Amino acid sequence: MRRSKVLSGAAAALILALGAASGAAARCNSADGVVAEDMREAVADLADATPVTDDPTPFDPGLRAAETIPIDLSRDLTDLAGLPGRYTDGAPVLGLRIENRPGFNPKTSCNALIPVLYKPSIQTLADGTLRASVEDRRFQITFDPKAVTAPWIQDADRSGQFFWIFPSRFGATASRKPWPMTTAYAARYQRLERGSDARRWVAEAYLLAALRVYRRNALNEGFPQGPLPTGDDLQASLVAQLGYACDDKPEDLVCVAHRLIEMNETRPPNPEISRDAFRISDAIYENSGPSAGIRQLDFGTDNAQAKALVGKLLPETVGRHARYRQPVRKWDLNTVNRWYGRDGKRANQELSRPQDKALLVESHVAYIIDAARTWEVRLAKAYPDWTPPERTALAMFAIDLENVTGKALARTPDAASACEVMTARNPASKDATSGNLALVLSQKRRVRNGVALLQTVPSLKDVDMSCLTPMLNPPA
């Protein structure tokens, strides 16, 4: 439930955004591997410490086992999926050290942290296990390579800055198929010039983002505690705030938007709302801060509802400490360690309280009502000649997409239908799936549900969304 993107230049002249996007302009750590950096600003040059010759010799237990080699992320890797390279090929484990980026400036760099990757020295012990070490054994791990199942392990060192990652499992599914995120970053990495700052930055962003995925998942194990609110709780809150039941006015924008979000979030026949709504989250990509709720209120942005509720929902953690109310990519090492080592768990305990769960449900309903009123006004001004059902259909999709991504659908000038708006591309982009179309295709399941929902409402079933069919349901 996520993020924002700001259009600029020619795109802004031709496409008018109809909602205020949250977060900063830079697209940092995005799912497609794009890292917005100022290419004029060099960072963390490892040239003096890293071998830069084109030595093709791969890792070999007899030749390079005793060497610790810092990896130049712009030169020494050939791919981010599996992390192969001239010094890492065949290495059963790699070391990942996290440092503060000196002089971090969010205007010129995406992340306050910088990862340093190592090929550790490796020793084979008498029982067949391996001992890997870096920095004269300050960081070390002993493991059986045949029994490894975890993709990463945090080193026992009290600094909390060192991790052991197993290349064949890091950034991959249980079957060792690379995550879509890994594939996207790897493709971006390979397109960039070897040895360039841009290539290094993509690798840095990938390593930090992948590690955040793992640490977030570990943080959320066992949460939320206690019973979960259900769809019935959502309905009751809607009636209380709206003043009437949607069974009486199924064509109302509030009602169809509520039904679509409920369909997408509770995933019937499961009556419970998604567990993710009631535990601390982190979208990983771009400018995400800690977040919670059905629409994932992001406490690291200027979202008005998030700012109003953070003190009530998380009074002892995010609400108390300002350092947590900013995008995670801006956190320094001490803040990251406190969060994953202590305060993130405390935040999950806070969100498990019955009053927090009830407040998240009520705030979500309030959001839908406010969003419906806002979009009704926007689209009446944008498309005064459209029929009310056409505007209602577009607003329904817009509310759900903005709820899940944080990105507002944009209006194309002189658009004749909702379908035309939803398939609009950004004219300033060379990408085939830019603009509104890219947003729609990123949420195919949700949009398919919306198209099906329109057919259940008599006054909306004649809205023609057929232009989406070949995109949402491509031939096998």
Side-chain angles (χ1 to χ4, degrees), residues 80 90 168 201 258 294 324 401 414 443 452 461:
L80 297 182
S168 65
W201 283 324
H258 167 74
I294 298 171
Y324 296 137
L401 289 171
D414 304 318
Q443 302 295 332
K461 66 180 182 180

Side-chain angles (χ1 to χ4, degrees), residues 188-419:
R188 178 73 176 176
Y189 179 81
Q190 291 174 343
R191 288 198 299 268
L192 296 170
E193 181 182 358
R194 182 174 178 270
S196 66
D197 284 335
R199 202 171 201 240
R200 181 191 305 158
W201 283 324
V202 169
E204 287 180 1
Y206 168 69
L207 290 170
L208 293 172
L211 187 60
R212 276 172 65 186
V213 171
Y214 286 124
R215 300 189 81 182
R216 176 198 63 185
N217 292 348
L219 184 68
N220 286 339
E221 288 180 2
F223 293 100
Q225 299 170 337
L228 292 174
T230 67
D232 288 342
D233 295 317
L234 271 176
Q235 292 287 353
S237 182
L238 184 65
V239 172
Q241 296 186 53
L242 197 59
Y244 58 83
C246 281
D247 288 345
D248 299 329
K249 297 183 179 182
E251 73 285 352
D252 273 15
L253 174 56
V254 170
C255 295
V256 292
H258 167 74
R259 286 180 61 192
L260 180 57
I261 293 176
E262 181 184 33
M263 182 186 301
N264 286 331
E265 300 300 343
T266 62
R267 299 189 182 186
N270 178 15
E272 294 181 337
I273 301 171
S274 170
R275 299 178 65 84
D276 286 340
F278 306 103
R279 59 188 173 196
I280 205 71
S281 190
D282 170 8
I284 305 303
Y285 311 131
E286 302 182 36
N287 286 316
S288 169
S291 53
I294 298 171
R295 62 175 296 234
Q296 287 296 282
L297 294 166
D298 193 330
F299 305 115
T301 69
D302 290 329
N303 179 280
Q305 194 177 48
K307 292 173 71 173
L309 294 178
V310 66
K312 297 177 181 178
L313 292 169
L314 301 160
E316 299 301 319
T317 53
V318 183
R320 171 175 289 184
H321 303 295
R323 61 177 177 266
Y324 296 137
R325 296 194 298 277
Q326 59 179 340
V328 178
R329 69 179 185 83
K330 296 183 180 181
W331 293 4
D332 62 21
L333 183 60
N334 285 339
T335 300
V336 168
N337 284 345
R338 280 191 296 266
W339 179 255
Y340 290 112
R342 183 188 66 189
D343 287 349
K345 182 176 180 180
R346 290 180 176 179
N348 272 330
Q349 290 171 336
E350 291 180 296
L351 292 176
S352 289
R353 299 178 304 178
Q355 62 267 34
D356 276 40
K357 294 174 184 174
L359 182 56
L360 287 172
V361 169
E362 293 167 6
S363 67
H364 178 65
V365 171
Y367 159 74
I368 295 175
I369 293 174
D370 181 67
R373 292 168 178 163
T374 299
W375 278 97
E376 283 176 333
V377 172
R378 288 174 179 170
L379 295 186
K381 291 181 179 179
Y383 304 112
D385 296 331
W386 285 14
T387 64
E390 195 81 33
R391 291 197 296 265
T392 296
L394 179 58
M396 177 195 72
F397 286 110
I399 292 169
D400 183 58
L401 289 171
E402 191 170 16
N403 164 65
V404 73
T405 68
K407 301 173 184 177
L409 280 176
R411 169 175 64 87
T412 52
D414 304 318
S417 67
C419 209

